[in-house]
Amino acid sequence: MSDANLHAVNQDPDSFAVQIADSIESFIVATTEVAKGDEPDSAVPFLLLEISQLLLTGGRLGAHEDIIPDERYEPDTGPDLDVDDLRERFAVLLDPVDIFSEVFDPYEPRKLPVASRISDNLADIVTDLRHGLAHYRAGRTSEALWWWQFSYFSNWGPTASATLRALQSLVAHVRLDQPLQELDGLDTDEDLAEDALAEEAGRVMVEEIAGPLGLRTVT
């Protein structure tokens, strides 16, 4: 893609920048709607779909050549919008499956899993995406694309990937009628070894979560 196309403010709807921005804005709007809790029965499947689509957008950014912003220093976008309400709504909506274990870098040898929260991850992703969207709406297209690409590699991409894995695993446990292991009583500030994680993991039967999360009709 030429610099002329990449940096243009008034772009064709089929252009790379417009497609990326539309996808990101769509994710933010959809995720915010889910957090309202109006349709809790479809929350998990809907989040699985939205995260999957967002990662396709991230993959396009990751496969693109390095994007160079017009300005050497990032213009100030003002304070980031508060996402505490979003985080808290998801924590309530996804209880008791909010906490999951993940490994941050699969290529780092002998890295132990840590406890994470889907609600925290979703709020962090939205924060990153909104920051780039502020640049885009101000007409700084190259700055927005640079930020989305950079933060895809450094933060929201890995975070979204971990969240997708947790959501996919949750759906798979229910659809395959397999008991689900929940990190019962753990918190994300605890640094526990793998054995300790296994010891602390409480078993939550599929029937206890499938109905409220809309993954299967409980009889």
Side-chain angles (χ1 to χ4, degrees):
M1 176 180 293
S2 68
D3 288 345
N5 287 332
L6 185 63
H7 298 168
V9 175
N10 298 318
Q11 296 172 335
D12 183 271
D14 293 329
S15 73
F16 178 79
V18 172
Q19 289 177 359
I20 295 296
D22 285 350
S23 175
I24 285 173
E25 186 166 17
S26 175
F27 174 83
I28 294 172
V29 171
T31 305
T32 303
E33 286 298 313
V34 175
K36 292 179 179 178
D38 294 337
E39 298 183 18
D41 290 350
S42 60
V44 169
F46 199 83
L47 288 172
L48 178 67
L49 177 62
E50 290 299 321
I51 291 287
S52 298
Q53 292 176 333
L54 178 66
L55 283 171
L56 175 59
T57 298
R60 295 184 66 191
L61 287 163
H64 197 283
E65 62 187 7
D66 288 347
I67 298 170
I68 308 299
D70 291 331
E71 301 181 36
R72 181 176 180 181
Y73 299 105
E74 181 184 5
D76 185 16
T77 61
D80 290 328
L81 296 177
D82 186 20
V83 293
D84 284 345
D85 181 65
L86 186 74
R87 189 192 317 273
E88 292 169 3
R89 286 177 178 271
F90 273 124
V92 173
L93 185 62
L94 297 172
D95 185 65
V97 296
D98 192 24
I99 296 181
F100 68 100
S101 62
E102 67 166 306
V103 176
F104 286 118
D105 188 347
Y107 283 100
E108 185 173 344
R110 296 178 297 280
K111 186 69 174 179
L112 296 175
V114 297
S116 299
R117 291 181 182 271
I118 297 176
S119 56
D120 287 344
N121 286 2
L122 290 170
D124 290 346
I125 293 167
V126 169
T127 297
D128 275 349
L129 298 181
R130 279 178 174 171
H131 186 84
L133 198 59
H135 285 305
Y136 184 80
R137 288 172 174 169
R140 297 185 290 268
T141 304
S142 66
E143 188 72 42
L145 290 172
W146 172 84
W147 170 258
W148 285 326
Q149 185 185 60
F150 167 76
S151 56
Y152 167 74
F153 289 123
S154 63
N155 189 46
W156 74 261
T159 301
S161 296
T163 305
L164 178 66
R165 183 70 184 94
L167 293 168
Q168 189 275 336
S169 178
L170 175 59
V171 173
H173 274 289
V174 174
R175 295 290 172 83
L176 299 177
D177 291 326
Q178 296 175 344
L180 178 69
Q181 289 188 342
E182 180 201 15
L183 301 183
D184 188 22
L186 292 185
D187 205 346
T188 52
D189 59 357
E190 297 185 50
D191 185 13
L192 299 177
E194 186 173 3
D195 291 343
L197 284 172
E199 183 178 348
E200 291 289 337
R203 300 186 68 82
V204 177
M205 297 303 293
V206 170
E207 287 75 9
E208 296 179 4
I209 67 170
L213 295 182
L215 297 177
R216 193 190 64 189
T217 301
V218 180
T219 58

